[in-house]
Amino acid sequence: MRIFLGVLGWTGRLIVIVILLAAMANCTRLGLNYASLDTEDKPGAWPPIAETPDSFLAEREMWKQRLEDHVFGPFPEGVDAHLVSHTVIDEAYWNGKGTLEEYVIEIRGSGETRKFTLGIAWPKAKQPVPVIISQSFCGNQTAFAYPAMSPPIDQDVSDFCGGGEEGVMSRAVKLIFGRYISSPPMGQVLDRGYAYASFYTSELIPDSRKPARALMPDYPHGERGQVSGAVAGWAAGFSAAIDILEADPRTDAQRTAIIGHSRSGKSALVAGTYDRRIDAIIAHQAGTGGTALSREKPGETVEDMLKTYPHWFAPAYQQFDADGAFTTPVDMHALIALNAPTPLLIGNGRRDVWSDPNGSWRATLEAAPIYRAAGTSGLEQDGMRDANLEADLVFWMRPGGHSITAQDWNAWLDWLDNVMPPGKQVPAQPNTASMAPN
């Protein structure tokens, strides 16, 4: 730590110290507590998903509508993604392991448009490859550790990490949230045969309450109505990326995975609910408003989240009664269940009490029968620490806090190998509309 601060200079040191002090102000946020492994005497999921798993599958559209009305607002289903430009950045990326490229994508709908840049690292291969699509908290220069990548298209959108992996903010973020919070172990991903694509969410909707709310009425949308929560708008980026990548012959269209951490984990679950082309989902530490139940919980409450990030959700979510009965007629066990039968790994850290692993485990238990009814293996573990990385529904928990670590990536890649092998036959998807590829 002393060496790290010495390299930064006085300005950098001050910034890092301020960030660390802010994090240390709350032991739960920093990760000095342990999540309980006990599910006794804790409130159950409310309301129950359905009388039977089959009835939930039959009423899937109704449950989607509940989440739209009370939590996320409409998903921009039916918008079109168009390729604006395609650029090869480096044909010998990462010591020759892959090719680094950029796609500028424009989303069109309801007479509105929005552009963003999708970066992608392709492994050297002679056949179509599986693709992992992620969302980044930083721009592509940081996400791919490559300063020559393009900055955000919108000049009013700043790169939180300062435009590169070696920036002060990027280093500080990695110090607190893990080595791989802003970019993956790229060599390992390419060696395992995966292409890795990523986009900066703030290019679609800025992660700031006033700019986000000001932009949403002009965000492209379809028949479901105007976007009213950033999480749903960011989720549309996954679908737009799939539209473009599935048109590229290098993509194995039967093996497309999405990964989201924290707020992007919420976004990944929303995307999986609507876009049935997705073949595997990793929602890591998605917490409140993502995978954790909302009543009588440790860590972050709905009230906490809405004070800090009200733009993530529909305005109707503000009606949540934090002090009394849970008044929103849907909770996150339904969001998990709506992703069935798509293979889903729910990631957690034992010290990440702020994201409430215990509440996520109880939500997963409630959703597990829906996965089995949808024709998958479902949840094949007895406890929070007994993850079976060969199952279609996995609750994964490692030591540590709110971060992305090498241990996470090792497990994720092993799981993706298991649930997306070449030629795997997947259960039929529920009969619901999805964004059609171009």
Side-chain angles (χ1 to χ4, degrees):
M1 177 69 177
R2 184 178 301 170
I3 295 174
F4 173 77
L5 291 175
V7 171
L8 293 179
W10 286 108
T11 301
R13 294 180 200 180
L14 180 60
I15 292 173
V16 173
I17 290 171
V18 169
I19 292 172
L20 290 175
L21 288 175
M24 292 174 67
N26 188 309
C27 290
T28 302
R29 296 188 192 212
L30 186 61
L32 299 183
N33 299 332
Y34 287 97
S36 171
L37 302 178
D38 183 15
T39 59
E40 298 295 327
D41 300 322
K42 290 183 169 59
W46 188 92
I49 284 182
E51 292 184 3
T52 67
D54 288 335
S55 65
F56 176 87
L57 294 173
E59 298 171 348
R60 192 173 184 277
E61 289 301 316
M62 180 270 287
W63 286 97
K64 283 169 58 179
Q65 193 65 52
R66 283 191 183 183
L67 283 168
E68 284 191 13
D69 291 345
H70 301 287
V71 184
F72 299 108
F75 177 78
E77 194 171 46
V79 301
D80 296 320
H82 296 264
L83 180 62
V84 176
S85 65
H86 173 214
T87 306
V88 177
I89 304 296
D90 189 345
E91 293 183 342
Y93 177 63
W94 215 268
N95 296 322
K97 291 179 182 291
T99 302
L100 182 62
E101 303 177 10
E102 286 182 340
Y103 299 83
V104 175
I105 300 172
E106 183 175 71
I107 301 177
R108 301 175 186 172
S110 63
E112 307 293 343
T113 64
R114 190 71 179 166
K115 292 180 182 178
F116 70 100
T117 304
L118 180 74
I120 184 165
W122 295 97
K124 301 291 187 181
K126 296 181 179 180
Q127 65 283 332
V129 298
V131 178
I132 297 170
I133 306 172
S134 181
Q135 296 181 345
S136 176
F137 300 99
C138 305
N140 288 340
Q141 294 161 320
T142 302
F144 291 89
Y146 204 91
M149 297 287 281
S150 298
I153 294 172
D154 189 339
Q155 297 301 310
D156 294 330
V157 175
S158 61
D159 183 345
F160 175 76
C161 295
E165 187 182 44
E166 298 305 316
V168 171
M169 286 303 299
S170 180
R171 292 188 182 191
V173 167
K174 287 185 176 183
L175 181 67
I176 298 170
F177 296 110
R179 178 180 177 185
Y180 297 117
I181 188 64
S182 56
S183 58
M186 194 66 74
Q188 183 181 2
V189 172
L190 295 172
D191 284 342
R192 296 280 286 262
Y194 290 91
Y196 178 82
S198 183
F199 63 95
Y200 182 33
T201 53
S202 287
E203 277 201 280
L204 287 174
I205 297 178
D207 190 14
S208 180
R209 64 180 74 184
K210 289 184 178 179
R213 287 291 185 217
L215 172 67
M216 284 181 206
D218 298 325
Y219 193 89
H221 65 270
E223 295 181 357
R224 303 193 82 91
Q226 289 185 353
V227 173
S228 60
V231 166
W234 294 330
F238 282 123
S239 288
I242 293 172
D243 283 347
I244 301 305
L245 292 177
E246 286 199 348
D248 192 308
R250 292 172 292 180
T251 298
D252 183 344
Q254 303 303 313
R255 293 191 290 163
T256 300
I258 63 173
I259 292 179
H261 172 244
S262 196
R263 61 175 168 81
S264 290
K266 311 178 204 297
S267 181
L269 290 164
V270 171
T273 295
Y274 291 88
D275 194 331
R276 312 308 289 177
R277 297 170 299 170
I278 297 167
D279 301 299
I281 302 164
I282 296 172
H284 185 55
Q285 298 178 314
T288 304
T291 53
L293 298 177
S294 302
R295 292 187 298 157
E296 302 175 37
K297 64 195 306 301
E300 186 177 36
T301 65
V302 173
E303 185 180 25
D304 290 331
M305 186 170 53
L306 291 175
K307 284 180 179 178
T308 309
Y309 312 110
H311 56 290
W312 288 1
F313 302 93
Y317 205 29
Q318 300 282 352
Q319 299 173 12
F320 175 85
D321 182 3
D323 298 320
F326 183 49
T327 57
T328 300
V330 68
D331 207 351
M332 297 305 107
H333 57 307
L335 179 61
I336 296 172
L338 281 169
N339 281 272
T342 306
L344 171 63
L345 185 150
I346 297 171
N348 300 268
R350 179 74 192 280
R351 288 182 179 268
D352 186 22
V353 179
W354 193 244
S355 293
D356 190 12
N358 190 286
S360 292
W361 169 244
R362 286 179 284 123
T364 304
L365 289 175
E366 186 77 10
I370 309 301
Y371 262 81
R372 288 192 292 272
T376 78
S377 64
L379 186 69
E380 297 184 324
Q381 60 190 93
D382 296 324
M384 298 168 67
R385 295 185 291 185
D386 302 327
N388 177 1
L389 294 179
E390 295 183 356
D392 292 308
L393 178 62
V394 177
F395 184 93
W396 157 258
M397 186 168 70
R398 51 137 172 89
H402 198 72
S403 58
I404 300 180
T405 69
Q407 190 175 1
D408 292 321
W409 269 104
N410 289 338
W412 296 350
L413 291 172
D414 286 346
W415 179 71
L416 290 176
D417 284 350
N418 290 329
V419 299
M420 295 200 311
K424 178 182 178 180
Q425 298 298 313
V426 298
Q429 300 286 358
N431 182 20
T432 182
S434 67
M435 292 179 61
N438 287 343

